[in-house]
Amino acid sequence: GEIASKNANKEFIGINLVSNEARIRSSFFSGASGAYRPITFYTSDAERLRITSGGNIGINETSPLARLHVKVADSSASAYTHTALVVEDSDHTYIDIMSGTTGSGGINFGDSGAIQRGVVEYNHNSDFMRFITASGERLRITAGGDVGINCTPTEKFHINGGDGVKIKLDCPNDYSNSSSIIMARERGEI
């Protein structure tokens, strides 16, 4: 079946019931601009959601900058060309990843070779954050603030370099002082 509304130009919006799904369709075409019009959803006389003719979705945004654009307030910022998700506010903006107290939350960076090629993860059970690159853990920060590179730290700063550890400090050519590492105790001993 179909529920539809058509005008003299044969433009319509309708709900089609096809097999096991319901489809909301729009074919409103603006002759002056030569473009299809978006589908918009309103509550309390204000637009809340828009689906553009190109398939971008804007929540509280009439000109979505990405495939999904969620807006609290206007930041006047632009989106990167390859952005799929924009979360925008005029002040502070956060994305909350909420997990159980014994679980983990994170962001996976995957490709055709591995779904976790890179990861930023927070483990709630043990209260640590870790960073994975090339499918291996490279950095961990514990609940006590200890930092481990290629290891789980047992000291404030712990590096596991395998065959050896090299630390390199580069100084720009125009800087007159040399690079240095200073190790000091409370009384100033080194």
Side-chain angles (χ1 to χ4, degrees), residues 140-163:
R140 180 180 290 226
I141 304 169
T142 68
D146 296 349
V147 176
I149 297 177
N150 288 330
C151 64
T152 298
T154 57
E155 304 292 336
K156 278 295 171 199
F157 187 58
H158 185 167
I159 301 173
N160 180 355
D163 293 338

Side-chain angles (χ1 to χ4, degrees), residues 1 12 17 24 34 37 40 52 56 79 89 92 97-98 108-109 114 137 159 171 173 177 180 184 188:
F12 75 94
L17 302 175
I24 298 175
R37 297 179 188 163
T40 56
T52 68
N56 289 353
D89 196 354
H92 305 289
I97 299 172
M98 298 180 185
N108 290 321
F109 301 89
E137 183 175 322
I159 301 173
C171 223
N173 292 335
N177 294 331
S180 60

Side-chain angles (χ1 to χ4, degrees), residues 122-177:
Y122 189 83
N123 180 297
H124 295 276
N125 193 45
S126 299
D127 280 327
F128 67 80
M129 179 169 274
R130 70 181 183 149
F131 297 83
I132 293 173
T133 62
S135 300
E137 183 175 322
R138 306 299 178 207
L139 182 104
R140 180 180 290 226
I141 304 169
T142 68
D146 296 349
V147 176
I149 297 177
N150 288 330
C151 64
T152 298
T154 57
E155 304 292 336
K156 278 295 171 199
F157 187 58
H158 185 167
I159 301 173
N160 180 355
D163 293 338
V165 175
K166 293 181 181 178
I167 297 175
K168 182 177 181 179
L169 301 174
D170 280 334
C171 223
N173 292 335
D174 60 348
Y175 190 68
S176 60
N177 294 331

Side-chain angles (χ1 to χ4, degrees), residues 65-79:
L65 298 175
R67 196 49 87 189
L68 177 60
H69 187 158
V70 180
K71 181 191 239 180
V72 176
D74 191 27
S75 68
S76 299
S78 298

